[in-house]
Amino acid sequence: MSKWFIGLMVCFFLSSYVVAQPEVRVGVLKFGTVNWEIDVIKHHQLDKKFQFDLTVMALASKNASAVALQSKAVDIILSDWLWVNRQRFEQRMYTMYPTSMATGGLYVSANSAVKSLADLKGKKVGIAGGAVDKSWLLLQAYSQKKYGLDLKKQAEPTFAVPPLLNRLMLRGDLDAAINFWHYGARLKAAGYKTLVTVPQMLAELGIETKIPLLGWVFDQTWANEHPEAITRFLQASLEAKQILLSSDKEWQRIRPLIKAENEDVFTLLKKDYRAGLLREFGDKEIAASQQVFEILAEQGGSALVGKATALSEGTFWRNNTLDKTSRAKSLQ
């Protein structure tokens, strides 16, 4: 038997033992800030580093993301834990690895006559996320406790999509507004200030711990069946966040994706993104999230929480490879 033939047979048998890299299919909003992180993963080939194949599907809306996950067109989406919790009470057992904190607040112009929430009586308050927006509900609970003020009745809530809300604020058609964090950064760049921040609202309501808001959401059964795939993806995600946390050069590279209108907007987007990263997550943060759930359920009712009566034990995904120590070490 020739050496050539023996070598060929050895190669054949070795190749039969090569295990294909797991594929991870991620659905992201087409113009969402999550694309910054995905771009970092792709540019630095972190999927190759952590040995998985990343497939990205661009989606048009939050509802489209939910449909894509539920139909198994994708494995992972970015969403909030209240949505996950609601699904679990409908026997759809999704779970979430939290990534970012609840931030932002209520914005007013620098020369506004509104100096406290008590001044909002009869004023127009813009809200970007609809009647069950989490920040709006927290603001209602905060104003009731601190000022005895029912903003739904004593102010004039005005709901609009985020870009329109900013335009209304800049035109002076609104007295105050709650918008998503990257639109809030643009208001700050235009000279607007926060009358009260989400962390201040939470502190007044007895919650000092920094709580999560958004995270990577996936089916619990899928994660149990594909532990390497989810762990490798989350390791790549953490490393991408660390790059964005530490490298100003990287922000210059992805600047075309950010679409900042000017240098001030760019600087604030970078600063606020970094400030919003969740650096710790454990039992303390879960307990605080349960407190927040109770507040939001009281304010938003079934329109927000569905059939959920508490925080499901499996809403947040725990993994020994990616515990609090690993997260803290990654996001220094």
Side-chain angles (χ1 to χ4, degrees), residues 153-228:
K153 295 179 179 178
Q154 294 177 273
E156 188 179 334
T158 302
F159 303 102
V161 294
L164 176 58
L165 196 68
N166 266 21
R167 288 199 294 271
L168 293 173
M169 279 292 285
L170 293 169
R171 286 202 321 234
D173 293 338
L174 296 172
D175 299 290
I178 295 173
N179 212 333
F180 300 152
W181 77 268
H182 44 299
Y183 288 96
R186 288 173 163 85
L187 288 177
K188 287 191 289 186
Y192 286 70
K193 62 182 181 180
T194 48
L195 188 65
V196 59
T197 66
V198 168
Q200 287 170 335
M201 298 178 206
L202 291 171
E204 178 66 27
L205 296 167
I207 302 163
E208 300 284 353
T209 302
K210 294 178 179 178
I211 63 160
L213 176 63
L214 299 175
W216 293 116
V217 175
F218 41 89
D219 187 281
Q220 186 171 304
T221 300
W222 175 82
N224 291 338
E225 292 174 351
H226 303 86
E228 289 187 350

Side-chain angles (χ1 to χ4, degrees), residues 56-332:
V56 181
M57 178 184 291
L59 300 164
S61 67
K62 185 176 179 180
N63 285 342
S65 296
V67 170
L69 183 65
Q70 291 167 345
S71 65
K72 302 186 186 303
V74 298
D75 304 310
I76 303 174
I77 63 171
L78 192 75
S79 191
D80 64 84
W81 59 265
L82 278 160
W83 182 85
V84 173
N85 195 65
R86 177 172 180 152
Q87 299 306 308
R88 293 181 71 85
F89 276 81
E90 296 282 355
Q91 300 306 308
R92 292 186 283 269
M93 307 310 283
Y94 298 113
T95 187
M96 185 182 88
Y97 183 77
T99 60
S100 57
M101 297 183 295
T103 58
L106 182 71
Y107 292 91
V108 297
S109 65
N111 58 356
S112 174
V114 176
K115 303 302 180 185
S116 78
L117 291 185
D119 298 326
L120 287 176
K121 290 181 182 179
K123 304 291 187 182
K124 290 184 178 181
V125 180
I127 302 104
V132 291
D133 175 76
K134 273 73 72 179
S135 296
W136 167 234
L137 296 175
L138 287 174
L139 181 66
Q140 291 176 58
Y142 172 85
S143 64
Q144 288 167 4
K145 182 175 181 182
K146 191 170 180 67
Y147 297 99
L149 180 66
D150 186 341
L151 285 177
K152 282 195 297 185
K153 295 179 179 178
Q154 294 177 273
E156 188 179 334
T158 302
F159 303 102
V161 294
L164 176 58
L165 196 68
N166 266 21
R167 288 199 294 271
L168 293 173
M169 279 292 285
L170 293 169
R171 286 202 321 234
D173 293 338
L174 296 172
D175 299 290
I178 295 173
N179 212 333
F180 300 152
W181 77 268
H182 44 299
Y183 288 96
R186 288 173 163 85
L187 288 177
K188 287 191 289 186
Y192 286 70
K193 62 182 181 180
T194 48
L195 188 65
V196 59
T197 66
V198 168
Q200 287 170 335
M201 298 178 206
L202 291 171
E204 178 66 27
L205 296 167
I207 302 163
E208 300 284 353
T209 302
K210 294 178 179 178
I211 63 160
L213 176 63
L214 299 175
W216 293 116
V217 175
F218 41 89
D219 187 281
Q220 186 171 304
T221 300
W222 175 82
N224 291 338
E225 292 174 351
H226 303 86
E228 289 187 350
I230 186 59
T231 299
R232 292 174 186 182
F233 169 76
L234 293 176
Q235 286 174 323
S237 174
L238 284 172
E239 184 157 328
K241 288 181 175 67
Q242 172 57 33
I243 291 171
L244 289 170
L245 187 63
S246 60
S247 173
D248 289 338
K249 182 179 178 180
E250 188 69 7
W251 282 87
Q252 291 296 334
R253 187 190 68 78
I254 66 168
R255 188 163 182 163
L257 276 178
I258 296 171
K259 294 180 169 58
E261 294 85 343
N262 54 55
E263 191 66 29
D264 288 341
V265 170
F266 176 73
T267 300
L268 281 166
L269 285 170
K270 178 172 63 174
K271 177 182 176 183
D272 287 358
Y273 174 90
R274 289 170 167 174
L277 292 177
L278 188 67
R279 288 168 172 78
E280 291 187 25
F281 188 77
D283 293 339
K284 183 175 64 172
E285 287 75 23
I286 292 176
S289 297
Q290 172 62 45
Q291 290 179 272
V292 172
F293 171 85
E294 292 167 3
I295 294 167
L296 294 176
E298 181 180 355
Q299 295 293 326
S302 60
L304 175 67
V305 302
K307 296 179 181 178
T309 55
L311 184 65
S312 169
E313 184 178 345
T315 293
F316 297 112
W317 189 70
R318 310 297 295 273
N319 179 279
N320 290 334
T321 307
L322 295 163
D323 59 11
K324 183 169 67 174
T325 304
S326 296
R327 182 195 296 267
K329 184 178 179 181
S330 297
L331 299 178
Q332 293 177 345

